[in-house]
Amino acid sequence: MLVQYLAMKREHPDSILFYRMGDFYEMFFEDAIAAAPILEVQLTSRDKNAEDPIPMCGVPHHSALGYIQKLLAHGFKVALCEQVEDPTKAQGLVKREVIRVLTPALVGDPDLVREDQKALLLAVKPTDRGFELCLLDLFASEIRLGRALSLESLAEVVREFQPKEVLLPSEVPSSVETLFSACLVTKRDTFGSAEEALKRYGEESLKARLPSLSVGPALFGSDALVLDSVTLSSLEVTKANSEGGVSLSDALNLTGTSMGKRLLKDWLSRPSRRAEVIEDRLDAVQSFLDRRDTADLVRSSLSNLRDLERLATKTALGLAMPRDLVSIRDALLRLPALKACLLHSESRSISQRGARLKPLEALANYLQRALEDLPPAVFREGGIFRPEFDPRIAECRALVHDAKSTLAAMEDRERARTGIASLKIKFSRVFGYTIEVTTSHLSKVPKEYIRKQTISTGERFITEELKNFEEKALTAEHRGKALEESLFLEIRNQVAAEAPALLENARVLAEIDVLQSFARTAQTLGYTRPTFQAGGLLDIEDGRHPVVETLLKAGTFVPNSVRLCPESARTLILTGPNMGGKSTIMRQVALICLLAQAGSFVPASRATLPLLDAIFTRIGSSDDLARGQSTFMVEMTEVARILKTATVDSLVIIDEIGRGTSTYDGLSLAWSLLEYLHLHVRAKTLFATHFHEMSALENTLPGVKNASVLVEKWKDSIVFLYKLGAGVCGRSYGIEVAKLAGLPSEVLVRARQIQGHLESESQRSSRTRSTSLAPMSGQLAFFEESGPPDKPSPLDA
């Protein structure tokens, strides 16, 4: 057995080998040592008395999925080595084969991945022109292709999509491999193109042909609004930054299916920048709001619907079980009524989606005739099919049923004949059917009883009649199970052939689900339809933060209006105290634009918006100590990326630049950066700062405006109004905020003394220096004499 095990292990050296032995998967040697603490099972050993005992551990095969999930989460691969012949019929050692290798990205069975998450595989091939990329979402049967022109672009793909596994050629520069420290790296000698390598690796691992893969949007140069990983994180689009926090997708999720929940995250993290796509979605949302009957039917059709996308892929991979096919059948049976409803919608957007649905009525009716409503979890146990579906199944079940009644009658007769009231006829997998008699009644056993086994409480016997019965009963049961298994595999192949149609149905259902979710949110929270117009005007009236609003008591959130006009107010400088609401206001502007281009109505009484190509944010403080970068270095790196990438069609949100260095350094950098953004990038910009000196830019740069969050003094404290007004806030109220935070009074008193001294010194010195500073010219001194570097579009790699 160990010779066989080691041969399998040599073929899969980078995997934990799950070696099937009876009802357990066993692991040996280094696999056992690595797996036992992760699986929280006992590490034991084989040949304990030997000088060098063999480490081993095991898990029950019927609950293996949970254990496999733990290993995959820790970045391991698992090779499933199964018994491929009947152990009771094997001559010598049972034949075994590795039937599948599960990896963090090639899981195969969707039950191993949370319904709202993805397991993505990224193949990367370095070339003379950068990096050729192919990204696989196996459960969606979709690949996305692209070419990263630099290491930074490749790193951004990793940050944005967070693949579970990366496939690389055997020889890659260390600078490339270090980008993938957070995921499993697999290397292959024979590579070819990234797409070819990915498909070949997938089929080698899963031991099956991959389902038909559709090609999704390109990784670069697509029609999506650019939201880099920093922006997605700072705006908390799909993941909250604090434990127990609420992300945008959490707050807006009123979907009814797992497919819809995943698509909602996709649309929010990659909104469209194509006007026709956005208006199509907005039209559908409007229609659902206007026709509540249609919306209600859609919701009821989607309720309790299993994940058709993952079920289709699972079936195509040959992994579906009877209950999976029942779920596919139940989904298909709902489609005719839903399709008819959608086709009759007055909305062209909704009716077109209805036309895309493929009910596959012949297949649905066939599965309805064939499958029991509650079949067993696995296909080798029988009980899958309705008895009327196949007369051979009915015959076998009748024999088994008759055998049970015959067995009961036999037991009653033997009790009466022998006078042993406790006599029982039992079945075991080893000895088959036997008659059990306790020790106290052994003297009453008839002479025709044949002793089979001694047990602690008595003896087990057989008779010629019982042997004949067993042969008939077990033959019928075995024949019935074998027949059902054969029929099931045949039907599963028929369903697998329809996987492309099933996946298209899943995509349509997911879209309809997200759109009805948008409509319910709009109705519940009072969202309005945004309008888009050329010219770059951003005009939001009474805007609200879509997440913060849901966390407050209804009606207590303070709305704010923001207007950015290319000619008169392209850049807004925000001042005001900490906790006063500056960050909330800036984020809500970004989120309203994001929601609008995702196709959702927005939290505002009115919103006229430009069609943005990107949203960039620089919010909050963070460091990257692992790469030797301080908070200030990270801040400057992020700002540099914005200056290089943003365009006139971008929205830039910057909060508190320059606080990680000296006051004069910070003020100088913030001033210069804002001038550059305004004069050269010309993006729509919201710039929050505590450097009140920068408010002077309103007087020197046309298109720069000051705004401040309002605050009122009350006795010796302050009251935040969370309202945006024109002009500049002359103070930061830092000491007052510190008082609200609970600092000791001695600290606060001393702080006021120091503040007064510093302010008087500042006023004295200000009289000796110039009170004005000319804005930077078009020729920037801190760039080369040729001027600012060329900027790629945010849509380029």
Side-chain angles (χ1 to χ4, degrees), residues 424-426 431-436 452 460-462 466:
K424 294 180 180 177
I425 298 179
K426 291 188 174 181
F431 294 101
Y433 287 100
T434 57
I435 300 172
E436 282 192 13
K452 187 75 173 178
R460 286 176 175 168
F461 302 88
I462 60 170
L466 191 58

Side-chain angles (χ1 to χ4, degrees), residues 753-769:
Q753 292 173 351
I754 296 171
Q755 181 187 46
H757 173 73
L758 293 175
E759 286 179 348
S760 63
E761 288 293 318
S762 175
Q763 291 169 3
R764 191 159 40 245
S765 63
S766 68
R767 288 192 290 268
T768 66
R769 65 175 183 257

Side-chain angles (χ1 to χ4, degrees), residues 538 540 562 584-593 651 686:
L538 187 157
I540 299 171
V562 174
T584 299
I585 292 169
M586 291 197 301
R587 281 182 168 95
Q588 78 188 32
V589 170
L591 289 173
I592 285 171
C593 293
L651 174 65
L686 296 176

